Amino acid sequence: MTSQPAPSFDNPDLPQLQAIKAHLDLVLLSLEALTGLGSDEMLAVAEKLGLEEILSDRITLWRLRQASPLRKGKGRKKLDVDEARAMTLISCTLAAQQQFAIRNAVAQLEKSTALKRAPHREPILGDYLDRFNSLYQERMAEEEQAKPDAIQRLALKLLIDLLFYSSQIGSRRLWVALFERSH
């Protein structure tokens, strides 16, 4: 029985970086859809964390987000390990700042699941799912477009993930998840 090599956290290969770029962009998309956060908040967190050398302005942020292989116009900027770490820290810091909104949305999801109601019928979840779907359809390449049910499942999965990423060890959880998903 052969085992797969352990993921390399310091030197990911190209397929790993592609998967990491895609997932980081989706995490940020989920935060945007839930809270309305934009580039100003992302750049403010980058400055607060001392990451302005990596993420100094809207154009740099846009290029890093466009690096996702799922995006329209994908691949304009390669994402390196330091940029991936910076985006991880920024994502988790934003999630921690928005923990109340994330917890409320997850509570509505638990309630709708327990009552066997469609999640989009809950006020916060319905708005979140509508915005996530719109942002996804607007930004992702046509070959990456999924059916509405698949997009909804992705949005709900990311919402639950955000709860874990908003914790004190959220950045470690996201960093490990990025590498686990890239295999």
Side-chain angles (χ1 to χ4, degrees):
M1 181 162 100
T2 61
S3 64
Q4 296 221 339
S8 171
F9 293 110
D10 294 322
N11 194 17
D13 58 24
L14 185 59
Q16 284 177 308
L17 277 174
Q18 292 292 86
I20 289 167
K21 291 187 287 190
H23 191 69
L24 281 170
D25 188 43
L26 289 171
V27 168
L28 287 170
L29 187 82
S30 179
L31 269 168
E32 283 180 78
L34 181 64
T35 64
L37 292 174
S39 57
D40 289 337
E41 290 86 359
M42 292 175 201
L43 292 170
V45 167
E47 184 177 347
K48 178 182 167 193
L49 296 173
L51 299 169
E52 59 266 27
E53 186 176 308
I54 294 171
L55 193 62
S56 58
D57 54 42
R58 288 174 191 254
I59 294 170
T60 304
L61 175 61
W62 178 81
R63 285 183 178 151
L64 287 175
R65 300 275 312 265
Q66 282 299 114
S68 170
L70 304 177
R71 287 276 189 140
K72 293 177 181 174
K74 58 191 167 201
R76 294 183 184 170
K77 166 82 172 86
K78 292 183 178 170
L79 183 78
D80 66 28
V81 174
D82 290 336
E83 291 166 335
R85 285 187 176 134
M87 295 300 286
T88 298
L89 289 172
I90 291 165
S91 298
C92 293
T93 301
L94 288 168
Q97 291 174 353
Q98 299 296 322
Q99 194 176 57
F100 182 77
I102 295 167
R103 286 187 180 280
N104 280 341
V106 170
Q108 278 194 357
L109 178 58
E110 289 172 339
K111 177 183 169 187
S112 70
T113 301
L115 297 173
K116 298 182 190 311
R117 283 198 307 228
H120 69 271
R121 293 186 180 268
E122 300 296 329
I124 294 171
L125 285 178
D127 291 344
Y128 165 68
L129 291 170
D130 286 346
R131 281 192 299 265
F132 186 92
N133 186 54
S134 293
L135 290 170
Y136 190 92
Q137 298 290 343
E138 172 187 311
R139 296 180 184 173
M140 301 308 162
E142 286 188 29
E143 63 268 14
E144 301 301 334
Q145 294 297 325
K147 294 184 178 176
D149 287 347
I151 294 172
Q152 179 174 311
R153 284 191 304 276
L154 174 62
L156 293 174
K157 166 81 172 89
L158 287 165
L159 175 63
I160 293 166
D161 289 350
L162 284 176
L163 184 61
F164 291 100
Y165 303 154
S166 70
S167 73
Q168 287 184 344
I169 60 169
S171 60
R172 173 149 174 71
R173 285 179 170 158
L174 177 53
W175 192 246
V176 170
L178 290 170
F179 281 88
E180 287 176 352
R181 288 190 175 111
S182 70
H183 272 87

